[in-house]
Amino acid sequence: MANDWPLVGREQELASARRALGDPEVCGLLLTGRAGAGKTRLAKVLLAELAAGGARTHWVRAMSSASTIPFGAFAHLLPGNADGTGDRAHRLNQVAGHLTRGAEGRRLVLCVDDAHLLDDLSATLVHQLAATASAFVLVIAPHGVSVPDPVFAMWKDRVAERLDVGELTRPQTTELITAALGGRLDDGAEHRLWHLTLGNPLFLRELVQGGLDSGSLSAEDGVWRWSGALLATPRLVELIETRIDRVDADERRLLELLAFGEPLGSEPLVRLGAARVLAWAEQAGLVVSERTGRRLNVRLAHPLYADVIRRRTSPLRQRDTYRILAQTLDLTGARRAEDKPRLVRWRLAAGLPTDPQLIRAAAETVLRKDFPQAEQLAAEAVRMGGGFGAKFLLAQVRVAGGRHADADSLLADLAGETVSDAQHARVAATRARNLAFGLNRSEEAAAVLDTAETAVSSAVASDELATARAALRAAAGSSSEALDLLGPVLDRNRRGDALRLAALVVAAGALASTGRTEACLGVVDEGLAIAERISDASAPGARVRLEQARIVALCRAGRLEEAEDRAGDGYRDAVRDRWGPAVAGAAASLGTVALAYGNVRGAIRWLREALAADAHDQPYEFRPAVAAALVRATAMSGRVAEPLGDWDGAWVAAARGELTRALALGAAAASAALEDGRLAVAAEIRHDLVRFGGEPGEIPAVGGMAELYSAHASAVSDASALDSVAASFADAGARLLAAEASAQAARVHRLEGRNGSAAMSAQRARAWLASCEDAATPALSSLDTPLDLTVRELEIARLVATGLTSRAVADRLVVSVRTVDNVLHGVYAKLGISGRRELASVVGPLVSGSSPGDGP
């Protein structure tokens, strides 16, 4: 990375500075702002512009070590024979004359950095040069410090103008990172960098450089991602230390309290006698105050100050700091909901006795906001004798944290400690889900449920186990069976509790796959309402799964704009909360929407992020569906990945040019979906057969997009009908499907001799395709190679064009060599070519990522 980052977001400041430089009445410009805001960088750009325009420029930097030496800052510009005797006026005139003569008639421009450290004579010289218009003076000084009187007088007497250089806005920060890295930063990393730097360019640069040096920041598919902690570099620590080191004992204690406990209310701090220190720290720019409701809170002026202070505080002093924090919060009575978990954490850190039930409650409270802390608190509650509740919570946290083997061991032990049907069912249901979704041991998971069912007698316990079994069946694709299991559970449990929520979560996903959109959306709304009222620990991940089901249902209903709005809102909230499962689910939702629109590149990006996100409950229940969708999206871009099932296998075969195999796999996948009651899925798969150029069979009538799928299937040989279907797809927002139908219409028009209509359909297809980045599906092939070949002819021609022999093609398509050769002769005749060597230039190669697999 270059030494100087690009100057971004300073257009307004540059314009103001250039106006001042061009005004004959202005002879100076005072640049001020917080440390690291970019004052020096801005001045260097201005000085370079002036030098390029012919000005004589000098850079002067004041230092504390030279602040007592007359003309110390200008020592490098003084003549070797300078007269050190005489009065001040004589010496000032001598130095000023030397500088102006050295300009040799050109405009003289001086830039003075850290002007607050100038010695008296240097400060007076700066004022004299500006006041006499002998030079234009750029003066840089940090915000909130006192500058020498002559420098201040420049601005007070209007000899110079003042320009405040503030921090960058969030969009400007993102733009700067993108320009510096030469690629986009993923949203999670962007969010973390923004909240750590708050637009300070110097802090931002140091963190990014530290991430590059450590390898925590790396690019994947053109997107920069951050793995691990964001840590300040040694240089950044030193820069911050110089800012916070000039404090006395009381001031340091205040900074430490805020570093470990911010934000803190001002009232208890004042009661502790910190009023004077608070006033000083705010005036010095080290802390800021802000009103939240009726409470006046105080926090450190920058998040990185807290990081540096915490690093430098010894363990003994940390414990003492937490003791004071706990006492401080006790003064307010810990009245707010967020106060109670903070008080528990501080008491534990201070080594004070704490009720294990309060610790468990605190862990449940912070589960969604601070997962690592929730795990620490849950483990502490167990250590301090919190009983079954604490152990079960710790098991849940370990499941959510991806420590599935540890969680299974704890749950297996816990099963022997249960004293009621309800406890036994909860443990068994949680263990079964962990075995199935975390350890991929579905048969063992079912066995756990079987055993538990024989051991419980209460209806509620049986319903808990039935809900877990329904989750296993739904994940395996048996939506109808899952809904049959859930029906009685929901009928018997009408209260808005954790059991009903768990059943609604499973039902929502199953209903989305069956195409019952309105029923799914109703279930989602009810589930989210319950989730707002109960603890996250009672149903971890419920919100994530409900929102994902909603997005899938909306997309299949053709309500893409609504789906996009909801997915975008969910992603922004998830990134803000920095909760892994929510980020993964929201990214998966955005990928689902992008794929429905036909934005293949966007779909791949979001689906990859969903699989790569720090989702603590991975592998979550919908992870296999996300992975399969990524395989399909990748194939739609003309590349191939390892398929996970028949549906995505069909797309991989199509990407390889093996359309016969694609049709067979797709038909099998559709039949399986129908058998399991996943009618909406079956409708989508059978429509894919139309996209491959085959016969789909009957498309299930589940409304929404399925109606357009049926219309498309009925119109494959009718060009006008295909044009109409394409327009309907476009109206729904499904632009890739619109482009494919229009490309098919162009081919039929051309076959029937209507070349003008064919050109218009092709033009519309390309217009829709412009917003479908990286799309390269079989139905689009005729746009680039307008051939009048059948599906079989095109398939064989493209395989042969890769260099495959007739025998290799025959083996791949499970036909005879004679069939391949006969089809090839027909292709040659239609295309007017003489043989194999000309095929590639006419039909085009297989898509990227595919491979002939055999030699020529």
Side-chain angles (χ1 to χ4, degrees), residues 76-90:
H76 63 294
L77 299 178
L78 297 179
N81 59 353
D83 185 2
T85 63
D87 59 19
R88 288 170 56 94
H90 172 75

Side-chain angles (χ1 to χ4, degrees), residues 186-226:
D186 87 278
D187 295 299
E190 182 272 334
H191 179 83
R192 295 170 69 188
L193 279 170
W194 163 252
H195 283 279
L196 268 180
T197 64
L198 298 179
N200 185 295
L202 176 61
F203 293 175
L204 179 68
R205 173 175 172 163
E206 287 299 318
L207 284 175
V208 169
Q209 188 63 58
L212 290 172
D213 292 343
S214 67
S216 297
L217 182 61
S218 58
E220 180 182 344
D221 299 313
V223 177
W224 289 85
R225 306 183 190 280
W226 204 295

Side-chain angles (χ1 to χ4, degrees), residues 819-842:
T819 297
V820 172
D821 288 336
N822 287 340
V823 169
L824 281 175
H825 287 305
V827 169
Y828 300 155
K830 282 187 177 183
L831 301 182
I833 61 177
S834 59
R836 294 171 179 259
R837 294 183 181 278
E838 300 174 61
L839 269 177
S841 63
V842 179

Side-chain angles (χ1 to χ4, degrees), residues 461 559 687 797:
R559 294 157 61 177
H687 181 244

Side-chain angles (χ1 to χ4, degrees), residues 437-781:
F437 307 132
L439 298 172
N440 198 29
R441 290 152 56 181
S442 298
E443 291 185 4
E444 190 174 343
V448 167
L449 295 177
D450 291 340
T451 302
E453 284 172 351
T454 64
V456 301
S457 57
S458 70
V460 172
S462 297
D463 287 345
E464 181 106 41
L465 298 173
T467 300
R469 192 179 296 279
L472 267 61
R473 300 310 303 143
S478 300
S479 295
S480 294
E481 186 178 344
L483 291 171
D484 288 343
L485 287 167
L486 293 170
V489 174
L490 292 170
D491 288 341
R492 283 192 295 267
N493 297 274
R494 297 290 184 178
R495 293 186 306 165
D497 57 9
L499 175 56
R500 183 169 181 83
L501 176 58
L504 291 172
V505 169
V506 181
L511 288 168
S513 71
T514 64
R516 295 164 60 184
T517 301
E518 293 307 320
C520 174
L521 297 179
V523 164
V524 169
D525 287 340
E526 182 187 352
L528 289 174
I530 296 174
E532 285 297 317
R533 298 194 301 268
I534 68 175
S535 165
D536 282 301
S538 300
R543 292 182 180 89
V544 175
R545 294 173 177 85
L546 288 169
E547 290 291 358
Q548 173 69 4
R550 190 212 305 264
I551 297 303
V552 172
L554 289 173
C555 287
R556 286 179 174 150
R559 294 157 61 177
L560 300 189
E561 289 187 3
E562 183 180 351
E564 183 177 33
D565 289 342
R566 287 189 175 275
D569 290 343
Y571 185 78
R572 283 186 289 273
D573 290 344
V575 168
R576 180 198 64 213
D577 292 343
R578 290 181 57 192
W579 195 56
V583 173
S589 293
L590 285 170
T592 300
V593 175
L595 200 56
Y597 273 124
N599 179 4
V600 176
R601 180 186 297 178
I604 292 173
R605 170 210 160 184
W606 288 116
L607 294 171
R608 280 179 174 166
E609 181 167 335
L611 297 174
D614 184 21
H616 300 301
D617 65 347
Q618 286 193 31
Y620 43 86
E621 292 175 38
F622 55 83
R623 182 180 176 86
V626 175
L630 177 58
V631 174
R632 294 197 298 276
T634 301
M636 290 179 199
S637 72
R639 293 170 290 165
V640 297
E642 188 65 30
L644 304 174
D646 284 348
W647 186 11
D648 42 292
W651 272 102
V652 170
R656 292 187 182 278
E658 301 169 2
L659 295 180
T660 301
R661 177 169 171 77
L663 292 170
L665 288 171
S671 296
L674 282 172
E675 185 177 346
D676 290 332
R678 293 176 289 129
L679 302 185
V681 177
E684 192 171 341
I685 298 173
R686 286 195 164 171
H687 181 244
D688 285 346
L689 302 182
V690 180
R691 300 170 71 184
F692 298 157
E695 293 292 334
E698 183 178 356
I699 293 179
V702 291
M705 293 298 293
E707 293 182 5
L708 294 181
Y709 299 160
S710 295
H712 190 187
S714 301
V716 290
S717 59
D718 185 334
S720 296
L722 284 169
D723 282 329
S724 178
V725 168
S728 297
F729 276 134
D731 289 341
R735 294 181 288 268
L736 178 55
L737 299 184
E740 291 179 342
S742 198
Q744 291 170 334
R747 182 175 183 275
V748 176
H749 278 306
R750 191 169 54 250
L751 286 171
E752 296 176 354
R754 294 187 296 273
N755 291 332
S757 297
M760 290 182 63
S761 294
Q763 183 178 359
R764 284 194 294 270
R766 290 190 175 91
W768 286 317
L769 197 57
S771 60
C772 303
E773 293 180 292
D774 293 347
T777 61
L780 300 172
S781 60

Side-chain angles (χ1 to χ4, degrees), residues 241-277:
E241 284 176 343
T242 61
R243 179 88 173 115
I244 61 178
D245 269 352
R246 303 184 186 97
V247 295
D248 62 24
D250 290 340
E251 293 159 356
R252 176 165 295 283
R253 173 57 82 186
L254 172 65
L255 298 182
E256 289 170 347
L257 289 171
L258 290 171
F260 287 96
E262 66 178 1
L264 295 176
S266 62
E267 181 182 349
L269 289 174
V270 170
R271 288 183 187 176
L272 289 174
R276 177 196 64 80
V277 179

